[in-house]
Amino acid sequence: MEILTALLLLWPYIVALTAVYFGTLIFYRLFLHPLAKFPGPKLAAITRYYEAYYDIVQNGQYIFKIEELHKKYGPIIRISPYELHIMDSAYYEKLYRQEGRWEKYSWAYDAFGVKDSIISTGNHELHKARRQPLNAFFSKAKVANQQDLIRRNLRKLCDRLSKVSGSKRPINLGAALSAFTRDVSTEFIIGKSYNDLDHEDFNIALTNMTTTGFGHIWRMTKHITWFGPAMKAIPIDWAMKMANDDTKAFLSMLKASHHTKELMAAATSPNPDEKTQRTIVHEIMDSGLPPSDKSFERVSGDLATVTSAGFETTSSALRLIFYHVFSKPEILQRLRAELATVRSSDGFEWRTLEQLPYLTSILMEGLRMSPGVVSRLARIAPDRDIIYKEGSIPAGTPVGMSILTLHMDETLYPDPRCFDPDRWMDLEVRKKADKVFAPFSKGTRMCIGMYLAWAEMYLVLATLVQQFNFEFDGASAKNFICSSDDFSPGTKGASLGGEILAHVMHLGLLPSNLVPEIYLFVLTLLFWVFFFPLFEMEAIFSQIKQIASTAGNPAKKSLIFQLHALAYSLEEVDDTVKRLSHLNLEAAVIRIGVDLKLFDLLSTSQIPLSVNKVVKSTGGDAQLIGRLMRFLASISVIEETGKDTFTSTNVSRNLTVPGSQAGFCHGFETSGPLYQELPSFLKRTRYQTPTNPTPTVLQSAYNFPGTAFEWFGTQPENLKYYQEYMAGRRQLTQEMWFSVYPVSAETEGLTDPENPLLVNIGGNIGHSCTFFKENFPDIPGRIILQDLAENIAVALKTKGVENMVYNFFEPQPIRGAKYYYIAHVLHDWPTSKCLEILQNIKAAMNESSVILIDEMVLPDTGVPSSVTTIDLEMMCAHASQERTQSQWDELLGMVGLKCLGTWEYNSVVCESVMKVVLV
């Protein structure tokens, strides 16, 4: 009674103190807070419940409300008492970048309920340490090596679709795609598939839970922090009794957490099973992380977030893409025609598909409209103010941008809600948009599973487009537009229903509405050749050329290969013998044409030239020159337009590009004699692989006792051809290793300008050092070019690059460099010499040093002829070779080194950069 009396007496003071507290807090946030100077709604500046209204009551609409607020208040606004938001496409690459310390806003990520997982780690240094062991696991090379895993699940998907092909019973394609991405993701990451593709309904309950339930729980827990933990605290068995089917499916998956313990036990076993697939658990447990980061709670948190991140994000984009591709015949037709240029009997290769411009444009357009994450991903600069235009943002302030808003910006993407792959077909437009095209985010927190998602999307779209037709029942484009912020896109149609009206399309059956265009062209061509030889065929050739004009380089090469194979398949015996036996004659006459400057003459003339006009410039006997030109026209090097009258062709024009004639002369004068000698040499050595540079084919061909490098020193003309050819290649080739390798991320903590940053071993005259310095001018540290004296004497004088005379068969004088970069050197030497070179580098390394080996990394199958040619040329001249990844790994293991990852930057010739460290 006394207590109640006291409370009655005190309540006016309690109310008054509460009013003073909140009044003071409101006044502070509106007028004294460091963010008070930024515009925005007053209510948002006072309380987070402003955002909670749109998140909870309005079901994830705050992302769209923020867009409205920008139209009223400008490009930078205050959206909560603590947070700013920017809508300015030019600023995106400055906020989401590799350089500097950038932390996450923990308030948004703690709601996931796994605070110590990589995705939820706010601290910059801690996140970097936790992510580092997984970088190589999710590298592009690792994913490429696991394509069989993706194809295996893809075959299961195709089998399921085939079973209902042609029937009236519709199948839920959205659920099927989700099941495919789940099975691939779990098998790739933890070595275990939950076989959702085998479920009769593709485990649609789990799809429904991930597309509708996660977002609601995440938004609720952001504002009611006990909600998520309370849900998590309920015993799973209890929850299963009360849950609906969708929740039960999710809880069943959670019950499999004991699998994490099994994986941890396998990863730490003193007697590991060599047949067991490595998982991310192995990478974490084998890393240098402290024991606290290897606990069950943290490892299971990483497993849950990393695997689930690859589920709905990828399948959501695929649903949108499949709807638009199969709803628009013109897109479907163009895509099938492009895919027909690269199809092989073994299925598609990811590295080939990603070179197809129209397929890539379709995927980019899909990811533009359905990026992996739509929520604002606030970043915090903990140690510095952020400059925006003329003002500054205080250190420690969460600042975010919404990628979906940028992807729907009409100034960047006209008619942004229209699915238009052609907007990406212009490479200049694509390059310009790349700064704000970020479906996997950018900077230090870029999606770690990006390459797995790309591989899945390329392979599943290409395969299903070539095998099936889909007609959708009741779906519309609105079903796939983001309508709520569920962290990932929340759409009106969470799952897609699709009725498959067409049977599996076997090309041999030739249903006319589905035959890929190139295949149809070839068959029509054969039909006309055999039955209607008098018909005009120019139309069909022009159609093939039209398709080729939109194809990327690998696709063109594949088309050339297929057309050559078609021509060869039509040959009689005598045709084959004459073609192959006269290859040397073709090369010899082209060599004469180069000497006469014939190709330059024809290519610069605006009109066809007669033999007599050619002779006035070249000299020589008119009859002889006419016979030579007639031969060149017969093999399509030049074109005969009339009697004794000729003009240039694509072949002859190619031979006028800088460096091309030198390259041909190098092949004819230097390599040609080696190829002539090769059969005799191998016969004498009983067909054993050459392992010593002296003697090899070169010594036999030229009767020279020294190495190929020593021979070049005695042949200035041959050396000149080679140097001019390589200079021409550098002008034509724009790809560089650092365009794909994470240099900025790995050098982020470097501060000492006196420490060696990059040592370019055998770097010739320094082009690579110059390009590196131009692209990374602000990374502190010394850049050093090393080569023999004769090359250093004529090396480029690049500011910030030191030129040093060095022989890589001697001890490396620069110790403890961050990077030892060695490009196209090891393929010039046999294994024994490669080991010497690597041993010298290894002796100079410290624990943080990395060897960057820039070489060809051959695929296990389907190596292009341009690469196999170089491989055999290396054998003839140097007793060396080009290597596959496994062969590189074997070589590195011999000297106590290991490859942590491989990044391919030029798929046409398999050029890649490998990250190599001490074992």
Side-chain angles (χ1 to χ4, degrees), residues 728-736 771 905-906 911:
R729 279 199 65 198
R730 277 193 293 271
Q731 293 178 11
L732 295 174
T733 303
Q734 302 298 320
E735 296 90 349
M736 296 294 292
F771 293 146
Y905 63 89
N906 185 355
E911 288 180 314

Side-chain angles (χ1 to χ4, degrees), residues 119-168:
I119 192 174
S120 299
T121 301
N123 181 270
H124 176 85
E125 287 78 13
L126 185 56
H127 171 267
K128 183 177 180 180
R130 287 173 172 172
R131 177 168 171 147
Q132 193 279 329
L134 303 186
N135 286 335
F137 188 87
F138 286 98
S139 70
K140 188 173 184 179
K142 170 76 174 189
V143 174
N145 288 335
Q146 293 291 320
Q147 286 183 81
D148 284 343
L149 181 154
I150 300 175
R151 292 194 193 99
R152 184 168 60 252
N153 285 283
L154 191 50
R155 284 193 293 270
K156 289 176 66 175
L157 174 60
C158 290
D159 289 343
R160 287 294 312 276
L161 296 176
S162 296
K163 289 179 180 178
V164 296
S165 175
S167 72
K168 295 182 179 180

Side-chain angles (χ1 to χ4, degrees), residues 166-181:
S167 72
K168 295 182 179 180
R169 181 167 60 91
I171 192 170
N172 191 321
L173 183 60
L177 292 170
S178 291
F180 168 75
T181 57

Side-chain angles (χ1 to χ4, degrees), residues 189 260 263-264 267 279-286 299 303:
I189 295 170
T260 303
L263 290 172
M264 294 177 68
T279 68
I280 65 169
V281 177
H282 289 83
E283 304 302 328
I284 295 171
M285 303 307 290
D286 290 347
V299 174
L303 282 183

Side-chain angles (χ1 to χ4, degrees), residues 5 113 167 210 221 244 246 307 330 439 447 538-539 637 647 662 753 771 795 900:
T5 301
S167 72
T210 55
T221 306
N244 60 23
D246 296 349
T307 53
E330 66 280 7
C447 174
E538 287 300 320
V637 174
T647 189
F771 293 146
L900 289 186

Side-chain angles (χ1 to χ4, degrees), residues 74-76 87-88 91 94 386-392:
I76 182 169
M87 191 167 75
D88 180 353
Y91 197 71
K94 298 178 182 178
I386 302 175
I387 304 301
Y388 178 71
K389 293 186 175 181
E390 292 78 22
S392 65

Side-chain angles (χ1 to χ4, degrees), residues 410-719:
E410 292 184 352
T411 62
L412 297 172
Y413 309 101
D415 196 5
R417 290 186 177 271
C418 174
F419 186 86
D420 181 15
D422 280 320
R423 73 172 86 240
W424 301 101
M425 289 295 285
D426 187 323
L427 294 182
E428 289 302 316
V429 172
R430 185 184 297 185
K431 185 177 180 180
K432 182 179 179 181
D434 184 62
K435 294 182 179 180
V436 291
F437 178 69
F440 301 100
S441 189
K442 285 183 181 291
T444 58
R445 307 300 180 106
M446 182 183 292
C447 174
I448 197 169
M450 173 178 65
Y451 292 121
L452 180 60
W454 274 117
E456 288 176 301
M457 290 190 293
Y458 269 110
L459 290 169
V460 73
L461 180 60
T463 301
L464 267 60
V465 158
Q466 287 293 61
Q467 293 192 27
F468 299 97
N469 249 6
F470 299 109
E471 184 173 300
F472 303 115
D473 185 12
S476 68
K478 294 180 180 179
N479 289 36
F480 311 101
I481 296 297
C482 179
S483 58
S484 65
D485 179 4
D486 292 349
F487 194 75
S488 58
T491 61
K492 292 181 179 179
S495 59
L496 171 65
E499 184 177 6
I500 305 172
L501 300 180
H503 290 278
V504 178
M505 199 280 290
H506 297 293
L507 294 182
L509 298 179
L510 300 180
S512 59
N513 63 319
L514 295 179
V515 178
E517 291 186 12
I518 288 291
Y519 194 75
L520 180 60
F521 294 157
V522 172
L523 289 174
T524 307
L525 177 61
L526 288 172
F527 182 77
W528 283 13
V529 166
F530 286 113
F531 297 103
F532 296 93
L534 299 179
F535 279 20
E536 177 59 55
M537 300 175 66
E538 287 300 320
I540 201 165
F541 289 141
S542 65
Q543 286 178 299
I544 294 176
K545 291 178 181 178
Q546 177 62 33
I547 293 173
S549 68
T550 63
N553 208 12
K556 286 182 181 178
K557 292 184 182 301
S558 177
L559 179 58
I560 291 170
F561 177 82
Q562 292 179 48
L563 292 176
H564 280 167
L566 173 62
Y568 300 154
S569 71
L570 301 177
E571 288 182 344
E572 301 291 342
V573 173
D574 195 48
D575 297 327
T576 300
V577 173
K578 287 181 178 178
R579 176 174 58 82
L580 296 177
S581 62
H582 294 162
L583 290 176
N584 287 345
L585 177 61
E586 293 183 11
V589 178
I590 293 172
R591 180 70 177 87
I592 296 169
V594 170
D595 286 341
L596 293 174
K597 295 184 172 25
L598 175 63
F599 308 125
D600 300 277
L601 181 64
L602 292 175
S603 296
T604 55
S605 175
Q606 299 297 315
I607 59 173
L609 298 178
S610 68
V611 172
N612 289 332
K613 287 185 178 180
V614 170
V615 169
K616 288 182 180 179
S617 298
T618 63
D621 175 61
Q623 184 181 17
L624 173 63
I625 300 301
R627 292 169 68 186
L628 294 172
M629 294 182 73
R630 185 173 61 195
F631 177 81
L632 290 171
S634 72
I635 59 174
S636 299
V637 174
I638 62 177
E639 180 183 355
E640 187 176 29
T641 60
K643 186 177 184 297
D644 295 331
T645 306
F646 301 88
T647 189
S648 64
T649 65
N650 181 63
V651 176
S652 56
R653 287 190 293 272
N654 284 342
L655 288 171
T656 65
V657 174
S660 62
Q661 292 186 8
F664 175 82
C665 291
H666 166 72
F668 186 83
E669 302 288 349
T670 302
S671 303
L674 305 187
Y675 304 151
Q676 291 278 50
E677 177 62 22
L678 179 60
S680 298
F681 176 85
L682 292 180
K683 188 175 182 180
R684 289 196 306 272
T685 59
R686 298 185 178 183
Y687 302 98
Q688 300 299 305
T689 300
T691 57
N692 194 316
T694 56
T696 188
V697 182
L698 181 137
Q699 288 74 30
S700 298
Y702 292 111
N703 192 26
F704 183 82
T707 66
F709 298 106
E710 293 167 339
W711 178 84
F712 266 122
T714 67
Q715 305 294 324
E717 191 72 12
N718 296 72
L719 180 60

